Amino acid sequence: MKRCLFIGIIFTLSLFEFGCKKVDGPAPFGPVPTENQMRWQEMEYYAFIHFSLNTYTDQSWGYGNEDVGLFNPTELDARQWARICKEAGMKGIIVTAKHHCGFCLWPSKYTEYSVKNAPWKNGKGDVIRELADACKEYGLKLGIYLSPWDRNSADYGKPEYITYFRNQLTELLTNYGDIFEVWYDGANGGTGWYGGANENRKIDRTTYYDWKNTYKLVRKLQPNIVIWNDGGDRADLRWVGTEGGWVGETNWSLLNATGDVPFDMLHYGVENGDSWVPAEVNTSIRPEWFYHPGEDSKVKTLPQLMDTYYNSVGRNGTFLLNFPIMPNGLIHPNDEKAALDLAAAVKEAFADNLAKNAKAEASNSRGNSQKFGASKAIDETTDSFWATDDEVKTASLTIDFGKPTTFNRFMAQEYIRQGQRVKAFSIEALVDGNWKEIAKATTIGYKRILRFPTVTATQIRFSITDSKACPVISNIGVYNAPQILTAPTIIRNQAGEVTIIPADTESEIYYTLDGSEPTSSSIKYINPVQTGDGKVEVKAIAFDPASGKSSAVTGEQFDISRKDWKIIGIQDEKAYRILDGNLSTAWRHGNETKLPVDLVIDLGKELTLSEFKYYPEQNSWQPSTITNYEFYISMDGKNWKKTSEGEFSNIKNNPLWQTKKFDRVNARFIKFRALKNTEDNNNIGYAEFHLITD
Ligand code: FUL
């Protein structure tokens, strides 16, 4: 009897073993992320803080000689920054400990150009300490931006500066607890104060900083850190080649360890790259990085921020959103509202995963095993996955909702610990018994979110149509995100006529001309509106009659009309695109033109001027962006007086409106002289040129 029982047990055990034969998971394919990169990728969304002496001088880049006495943020409250970031769903904050001007937000032992000589807290303050404490309190991680370029340091350009830079880095990475990311901005403009030398210093970015040894130091001091560098020297993370808030739709988390990295590689990564260097999308909540009071009404709208979310987190990147700090030391309420509105909209869009309780079936599952079956992709965890047999590189997974279900978003995640694999996929929906393709895309990576017009279907099919190796999918989500109306664009042409351009064809447009907030009871926009010759403020909304929802308000303040202005010395009629109010039309001097080149305008009558504004042509293939200028005025078009000269500091990475104020002056003619462009060639173009009059 005993013997029988024994044989029975052996038999059952071997059957069990036979039925559940051990199926191995897929082996890693190509480069894979480190644990530090994994932790960082899972943060998804975190903040940038730009705060320095620029905050007090209305500049983008300080020259290095700005007075330390200006730094007096009397209401500084790093807990306000941390609270807002936390409530906005962010996981950390990276702060400009030192920007290009060299001013340090912490009392560095190695320079006098820091908070220790500022009036703020009688020189006893330390912004980094206050922020580190606030981050701890709010459960956020802290990151450090330390500009390698230092326009204050007398040693910049010499070997001594590298020691100085590393000493500062050591202070920051030793005294403020755990640092999750360090940021080395690649800007090296050349000119600076440099301890009074006031000169142009050029360094060789490939050798001067000796990054290899700096990275070693960083990793020794903070073993869990990730290092950002803008492409020159490969680190843990890469810049995406734009500050506009997007990474390529195709986005490989790979680059090659050596060789040049042109902009398109930064946008898209390198399919067969030999190193894991994932993308971080950095952009500001306003047009500029530092605070400028003139941008209080230019805070990005919800649809703009939502687009950035989809174009970063939704495209296998992380999202680094900047808050400029005001001179009083706080985040502006408009910026706070925009960030909280975004958080609410993201939460709402992804609140209900319609795939969660559905039935999932795959065309192939590894070794036919449940362990790697379709259900693992809809269990909402990232540590289990659906994978196919090694030789299977195309496969589909069908989700059956069991009833007609309405949706407009699809989310997929690869289990990237085993490498990034998928090259192409499509989404189909079963509508009234017929399969219909609703979206098609390329890479997935850590996370990919697709947006498409709302559809009602009983099933959805996710087909991987091309993959480097067997697909390994950790998560799939299907959602029905509410519609968000995009605010319209307002332009005023040379003759003073205002055109309001809606972002979609269904919504109605309402506007005001008296500065009041528009509602659906304001004037309905049908055709362009003649607003005369004077200054005018136009505000407009898009309104959806079906839902009763309105977009955010677009507001534009236009100066006097430019109907009498004449461009002198340029025969091409198309040059008037510079004055047509439309940011997407531009004019450029011919290639044969040698710098400097002038844009001369006859204003038709004498005007009192106090500011000019230049908007560069948006042509990233053949840039024509001016970086250095002179601005002259004249009464007769013959005798000229220079009233302003300088640089458009960050225009290469952020090619938006450039505003230059000068002392009020009367003029009939102006001359805007281009001295240099971003590429060091002769291409000079303009999308718009405006003047501010009294
Ligand atoms: C750029 C800098 O030059 C800007 O001022 C800003 O700090 C941005 C994040 O990086 O390259």
Side-chain angles (χ1 to χ4, degrees):
M1 181 69 194
K2 253 191 187 162
R3 201 186 148 113
C4 256
L5 189 67
F6 180 64
I7 293 173
I9 290 173
I10 299 280
F11 182 64
T12 322
L13 272 179
S14 52
L15 255 190
F16 182 76
E17 213 185 1
F18 181 69
C20 303
K21 75 173 166 5
K22 197 165 168 296
V23 181
D24 288 330
F29 183 86
V32 295
T34 61
E35 274 310 307
N36 292 1
Q37 287 169 319
M38 251 341 278
R39 253 195 326 277
W40 161 87
Q41 185 95 53
E42 283 167 350
M43 288 173 70
E44 292 194 3
Y45 180 36
Y46 43 94
F48 227 162
I49 291 277
H50 271 66
F51 190 34
S52 186
L53 288 176
N54 297 349
T55 309
Y56 299 86
T57 56
D58 215 6
Q59 300 184 106
S60 311
W61 287 354
Y63 191 67
N65 61 349
E66 290 75 18
D67 183 4
V68 204
L70 293 172
F71 191 80
N72 197 11
T74 46
E75 291 166 53
L76 187 135
D77 179 8
R79 296 182 68 249
Q80 185 235 17
W81 311 353
R83 176 188 56 76
I84 293 170
C85 293
K86 185 75 185 182
E87 286 174 7
M90 297 166 149
K91 298 290 185 311
I93 301 180
I94 302 179
V95 60
T96 53
K98 178 179 90 169
H99 203 254
H100 309 324
C101 70
F103 177 74
C104 299
L105 292 184
W106 81 103
S108 172
K109 273 208 305 243
Y110 303 99
T111 179
E112 292 308 305
Y113 204 47
S114 86
V115 281
K116 74 183 176 202
N117 288 316
W120 178 57
K121 298 199 166 172
N122 293 319
K124 299 273 174 290
D126 180 345
V127 180
I128 307 300
R129 168 79 50 227
E130 295 197 16
L131 182 58
D133 291 347
C135 281
K136 214 164 173 196
E137 180 182 340
Y138 282 89
L140 296 167
K141 297 185 180 187
L142 178 65
I144 296 289
Y145 169 116
L146 186 71
S147 169
W149 183 31
D150 187 322
R151 293 173 116 179
N152 175 264
S153 168
D155 284 341
Y156 185 76
K158 305 183 197 152
E160 289 85 335
Y161 174 76
I162 303 306
T163 307
Y164 172 72
F165 182 68
R166 288 188 183 146
N167 283 339
Q168 294 200 319
L169 198 54
T170 304
E171 287 182 318
L172 290 163
L173 300 187
T174 311
N175 299 332
Y176 299 94
D178 289 343
I179 304 296
F180 82 96
E181 178 170 340
V182 66
W183 229 84
Y184 299 125
D185 199 308
N188 280 291
T191 58
W193 184 68
Y194 304 129
N198 276 312
E199 58 190 13
N200 194 359
R201 292 191 181 169
K202 286 221 155 106
I203 52 103
D204 178 352
R205 284 187 54 194
T206 55
T207 52
Y208 179 59
Y209 296 112
D210 179 22
W211 285 119
K212 225 169 104 222
N213 284 309
T214 303
Y215 291 176
K216 261 196 209 152
L217 172 72
V218 170
R219 295 197 201 284
K220 192 177 104 213
L221 297 174
Q222 294 279 342
N224 296 328
I225 207 165
V226 280
I227 302 173
W228 184 98
N229 211 331
D230 75 351
D233 240 84
R234 235 65 90 237
D236 299 324
L237 315 175
R238 72 171 204 268
W239 184 44
V240 292
T242 168
E243 293 176 356
W246 58 272
V247 63
E249 285 189 52
T250 296
N251 177 16
W252 293 100
S253 289
L254 306 174
L255 285 184
N256 284 321
T258 51
D260 281 349
V261 192
F263 272 31
D264 57 341
M265 277 193 194
L266 292 171
H267 296 335
Y268 309 112
V270 175
E271 184 176 323
N272 294 312
D274 59 21
S275 311
W276 189 270
V277 192
E280 177 185 78
V281 176
N282 66 307
T283 196
S284 186
I285 199 157
R286 296 164 172 237
E288 288 270 356
W289 294 96
F290 282 94
Y291 179 78
H292 306 284
E295 290 186 350
D296 285 351
S297 59
K298 296 282 168 211
V299 178
K300 289 184 182 160
T301 60
L302 179 59
Q304 286 172 318
L305 290 172
M306 206 61 195
D307 274 348
T308 308
Y309 178 83
Y310 284 114
N311 295 340
S312 54
V313 176
R315 289 186 184 173
N316 186 31
T318 58
F319 182 7
L320 171 55
L321 180 64
N322 177 63
F323 294 106
I325 302 299
M326 292 190 286
N328 67 0
L330 296 172
I331 293 177
H332 193 281
N334 293 359
D335 303 33
E336 172 176 0
K337 182 170 182 309
L340 298 188
D341 286 352
L342 172 66
V346 170
K347 200 166 163 202
E348 200 182 355
F350 300 103
D352 188 12
N353 182 358
L354 303 164
K356 199 166 78 189
N357 296 317
K359 229 173 64 212
E361 218 168 87
S363 60
N364 173 288
S365 294
R366 202 170 179 79
N368 249 327
S369 157
Q370 283 298 315
K371 191 171 165 202
F372 303 114
S375 64
K376 301 293 178 194
I378 55 165
D379 63 2
E380 295 206 309
T381 67
T382 46
D383 52 3
S384 65
F385 47 81
W386 161 55
T388 65
D389 289 318
D390 280 339
E391 64 285 2
V392 176
K393 294 187 187 146
T394 59
S396 63
L397 187 148
T398 308
I399 294 169
D400 188 346
F401 303 112
K403 57 174 194 287
T405 301
T406 302
F407 55 91
N408 52 21
R409 301 285 183 272
F410 177 82
M411 186 275 295
Q413 294 190 274
E414 281 185 83
Y415 187 77
I416 54 167
R417 285 174 191 278
Q418 303 299 86
Q420 189 182 355
R421 299 155 178 250
V422 175
K423 290 168 69 166
F425 68 100
S426 70
I427 306 296
E428 293 154 288
L430 189 64
V431 183
D432 299 330
N434 298 315
W435 285 107
K436 190 176 140 199
E437 184 171 279
I438 49 176
K440 230 175 156 158
T442 52
T443 50
I444 297 178
Y446 169 73
K447 188 178 263 190
R448 184 72 199 267
I449 307 173
L450 300 185
R451 293 184 274 183
F452 40 83
T454 306
V455 60
T456 301
T458 49
Q459 296 186 26
I460 183 169
R461 187 156 66 197
F462 163 50
S463 298
I464 293 159
T465 51
D466 198 2
S467 184
K468 288 182 177 180
C470 71
V472 185
I473 304 295
S474 70
N475 245 325
I476 285 173
V478 179
Y479 308 88
N480 189 27
Q483 191 200 2
I484 299 173
L485 283 180
T486 302
T489 307
I490 309 172
I491 61 175
R492 190 189 198 206
N493 71 10
Q494 204 187 338
E497 193 178 74
V498 166
T499 302
I500 308 181
I501 308 160
D504 60 77
T505 47
E506 281 118 64
S507 47
E508 297 172 351
I509 302 289
Y510 293 88
Y511 70 96
T512 62
L513 296 176
D514 58 5
S516 63
E517 292 300 283
T519 66
S520 54
S521 324
S522 305
I523 319 166
K524 187 168 179 180
Y525 178 81
I526 313 270
N527 288 315
V529 191
Q530 182 46 254
T531 53
D533 289 341
K535 299 188 180 198
V536 63
E537 180 169 16
V538 187
K539 289 187 172 178
I541 51 163
F543 175 76
D544 174 28
S547 63
K549 281 191 181 174
S550 301
S551 71
V553 177
T554 312
E556 294 289 353
Q557 279 182 326
F558 297 104
D559 208 273
I560 57 168
S561 94
R562 291 164 289 167
K563 76 173 194 328
D564 299 327
W565 293 17
K566 297 223 159 23
I567 297 176
I568 309 288
I570 299 175
Q571 301 318 325
D572 187 357
E573 265 304 301
K574 293 195 187 107
Y576 282 90
R577 289 176 184 168
I578 301 171
L579 305 178
D580 68 0
N582 189 343
L583 301 182
S584 47
T585 60
W587 184 84
R588 49 164 65 199
H589 295 277
N591 279 344
E592 66 288 347
T593 326
K594 293 278 167 285
L595 292 178
V597 296
D598 294 337
L599 172 68
V600 181
I601 300 176
D602 175 358
L603 306 174
K605 59 174 183 255
E606 188 179 324
L607 297 172
T608 305
L609 311 175
S610 56
E611 189 175 320
F612 77 81
K613 289 170 80 175
Y614 159 61
Y615 196 90
E617 179 185 17
Q618 306 291 298
N619 180 339
S620 53
W621 300 112
Q622 247 201 328
S624 63
T625 309
I626 303 168
T627 53
N628 294 73
Y629 75 93
E630 287 169 349
F631 181 78
Y632 298 84
I633 52 109
S634 167
M635 280 303 183
D636 55 9
K638 291 188 189 87
N639 299 300
W640 294 96
K641 186 172 158 243
K642 188 157 61 178
T643 60
S644 170
E645 67 184 313
E647 67 180 17
F648 301 124
S649 304
N650 194 30
I651 197 167
K652 183 172 169 121
N653 291 343
N654 207 15
L656 304 177
W657 278 113
Q658 307 295 313
T659 305
K660 292 289 176 186
K661 294 193 168 72
F662 43 83
D663 292 340
R664 289 166 76 235
V665 62
N666 284 0
R668 159 81 193 253
F669 296 84
I670 66 97
K671 177 156 71 188
F672 176 47
R673 171 165 291 175
L675 301 175
K676 198 169 166 315
N677 77 355
T678 51
E679 313 306 300
D680 267 337
N681 62 27
N682 289 311
N683 288 329
I684 294 295
Y686 324 76
E688 285 297 305
F689 187 86
H690 293 187
L691 292 166
I692 303 299
T693 66
D694 257 11

